[in-house]
Amino acid sequence: MDLDAATWPPRRLFADGLTVRAYRPGDGVHLAEAVRSSYEHLRPWMPWARPDSTAQDYEKTVEQLVRKFDDREDFTLAVLEGESFVGSTGYHIRVGSLESRNAEIGMWIRADRSGQGTGTRLLKALIQWGFDEWGFERLVWRCDPENRASARVAEKCGMVYEGTLRSDVRLPDGERKDSLVYALLSSERPNSGSVAPGASGLKVRAALPSDAEAMAAAYNEGIEDRVATFETRSRTAEDIRDWFDCDLPKVVVELNGTVVAFAAAFPYSDRCCYGGIAEFSVYVRRHLRGRGLGTVAMEGLVEAAVAHGLHKLMSRVFPENRASLAVLRRLGFRTVGTHRSHGRLDGAWKDCVCVERVLHTSLSGDRAPG
C-alpha cells in the first residue's frame, strides 16, 4: 500500500460481525458511556480512564482523535457491533516514523463484552487489515505482565513473545510497571491456504483413547517421512492407547469429523524437582501439512497445559524442520540452543533444536494499550 495514496489511510473495516471505523464527531457520548460502565474493568490497565468524565470531555477527546487521524499522526478507531459501541482500538505510531511501517495495536473492550472472544476476533482482523490494506510490515502488542488475558489474545493470534520492557510504563501515582512485548511480521503470517481456527468443520478437543487409531496414523506418517522423530518403528493403536495411562494433556484436531492432527504432553522426568514440566509432540496428517493445523493443535495443547497447571512445555525439533520451528516461534516458544549429534536416525547422527515456553509468564483477554 502506498502510504501517500489519496485513499490512505483506510477508514472502515467490516470483519466477523464487527465494524471498525475512524472516530467521527458525535462519538463522545458513546465513548463516555462505554468507559464509565467499564471503569472498574479498565482501571488496572488503562491509567487514562476516569469515572467522572462527561460526554463533553470525551467529545473533546474525539476531536483530537479525528485531527490526528486526518493528519496521519496516529490512528485510533472505534469498534461497534451492530449499533453498539463495544470498545476502541487503533494502529499507533509509537516507535519510529510512519515510513518505518511499524505500528502498535492498542485495544480495550467494554466490561460486558470481556471474556467472550471479542478481543481475539478483533485482533485477528486488525492483523490482516494492517498488513494487507494499511501496508504495515511489523505489528506490535504490549501488555502488563499481570494482564494474562491480554497476553493470551496475542498468542491466540500468532504473535511472537519478544521480551519484557522493564519499568516501561509510569502510572499517575509514580509507580513504574513492566510491559510484555509481542510482535508479528508480515512475512510471518500463516500461508493463505491455512485452515483458520474458526473455520467451519474445524474442532479442537481433548483426545480420547478411541482416537488412538487416528493418532497412530498421523504419528506413523511422521515416522515414515523422517521429519519429526528419531523413532523408526511404526506404532499401533494399542501403543497410542498406552499414552492415556498418563494424565498429561493430549488434544486432537478434527476436520469435518475426522481426526487430522494431535498434540500431546509427556513427562519430562520422574524427579520431583521437575514436576510441572512436560515434553510435547505434535503431528499432522501428511496431506494436510502446511495448512495451519499444527498451529491449531499446539494452541489447544498450550491452553490445556495451562488448565492442567503445567509450568513449562519443551521439545526438541530437527533443525531442517523449519515449518515447525516457525510455528513454535509464533506461539511464544524460545530457542534454548542446539544439541549437537544428539541422536541417530538411519545410522546418521542428527542435531536437535531445543525449544521451551514457560507458561506462567505468557498467559492471556481483551486488552492492549489504548
Side-chain angles (χ1 to χ4, degrees):
M1 177 63 66
D2 181 0
L3 300 186
D4 294 322
T7 57
W8 195 91
R11 303 186 71 89
R12 185 185 296 265
L13 170 70
F14 299 102
D16 199 11
L18 300 173
T19 299
V20 184
R21 62 162 174 80
Y23 274 90
R24 58 197 184 199
D27 282 338
V29 63
H30 307 296
L31 182 58
E33 186 279 327
V35 173
R36 283 199 301 267
S37 67
S38 305
Y39 174 69
E40 290 301 323
H41 173 68
L42 297 175
R43 183 171 58 85
W45 323 118
M46 304 291 177
W48 51 263
R50 296 290 183 271
D52 54 354
S53 295
T54 65
Q56 291 76 19
D57 294 330
Y58 278 105
E59 190 60 31
K60 292 179 181 177
T61 298
V62 167
E63 291 175 4
Q64 296 174 358
L65 298 179
V66 170
R67 179 192 62 77
K68 289 183 177 181
F69 194 104
D70 291 342
D71 291 345
R72 301 184 180 183
E73 295 179 9
D74 198 61
F75 306 99
T76 305
L77 301 152
V79 183
L80 297 90
E81 188 161 33
E83 298 299 318
S84 301
F85 189 101
V86 298
S88 188
T89 187
Y91 300 107
H92 303 305
I93 313 303
R94 291 173 173 161
V95 179
S97 64
L98 183 60
E99 287 68 28
S100 71
R101 297 179 185 257
N102 298 335
E104 179 181 324
I105 296 177
M107 182 192 303
W108 60 269
I109 301 297
R110 59 184 298 153
D112 58 6
R113 299 304 303 273
S114 178
Q116 300 177 34
T118 304
T120 301
R121 291 161 53 202
L122 180 56
L123 181 57
K124 288 178 180 177
L126 289 168
I127 288 172
Q128 181 173 341
W129 197 33
F131 287 141
D132 291 345
E133 296 193 42
W134 287 74
F136 295 122
E137 296 173 354
R138 173 179 163 85
L139 294 173
V140 176
W141 176 276
R142 291 190 299 168
C143 60
D144 189 304
E146 296 179 6
N147 192 346
R148 296 182 173 182
S150 183
R152 182 63 182 141
V153 167
E155 292 159 6
K156 285 181 178 179
C157 295
M159 302 192 84
V160 177
Y161 172 69
E162 294 189 334
T164 301
L165 298 177
R166 297 177 300 155
S167 296
D168 178 53
V169 177
R170 188 179 189 275
L171 302 180
D173 63 2
E175 180 187 1
R176 301 196 69 89
K177 304 200 74 174
D178 297 346
S179 293
L180 301 182
V181 180
Y182 292 82
L184 190 68
L185 308 181
S186 179
S187 60
E188 293 175 328
R189 284 186 294 170
N191 296 331
S192 59
S194 296
V195 179
S200 176
L202 193 68
K203 179 181 179 181
V204 184
R205 61 170 174 80
L208 302 170
S210 57
D211 297 316
E213 186 171 349
M215 293 168 69
Y219 187 27
N220 288 335
E221 287 179 346
I223 293 174
E224 293 166 6
D225 296 340
R226 302 300 198 257
V227 296
T229 177
F230 285 108
E231 298 295 340
T232 57
R233 179 182 63 82
S234 294
R235 296 302 197 265
T236 65
E238 189 59 37
D239 292 330
I240 304 302
R241 274 190 284 272
D242 288 342
W243 292 358
F244 290 87
D245 292 340
C246 166
D247 69 347
L248 290 179
K250 302 162 191 66
V251 301
V252 294
V253 179
E254 289 184 350
L255 187 59
N256 298 322
T258 300
V259 172
V260 295
F262 74 88
F266 303 94
Y268 168 70
S269 171
D270 58 4
R271 296 182 63 190
C272 62
C273 61
Y274 296 116
I277 299 177
E279 295 190 76
F280 68 88
S281 295
V282 55
Y283 290 86
V284 178
R285 291 302 303 266
R286 182 187 291 132
H287 66 289
L288 290 172
R289 291 175 193 157
R291 298 182 60 187
L293 293 169
T295 300
V296 174
M298 280 306 304
E299 287 178 336
L301 182 65
V302 169
E303 189 169 332
V306 171
H308 191 82
L310 289 178
H311 174 72
K312 183 167 75 171
L313 289 173
M314 60 175 295
S315 191
R316 289 176 287 271
V317 184
F318 292 157
E320 61 269 26
N321 194 349
R322 294 189 178 93
S324 291
L325 290 171
V327 166
L328 295 171
R329 281 195 300 270
R330 288 198 296 270
L331 294 178
F333 286 82
R334 75 181 188 100
T335 298
V336 179
T338 300
H339 286 310
R340 300 296 182 185
S341 297
H342 195 60
R344 283 194 295 184
L345 180 60
D346 296 331
W349 287 99
K350 292 179 65 69
D351 297 346
C352 286
V353 177
C354 303
V355 296
E356 68 176 14
R357 179 171 149 188
V358 179
L359 299 173
H360 74 76
T361 63
S362 51
L363 306 180
S364 67
D366 299 342
R367 179 272 176 190

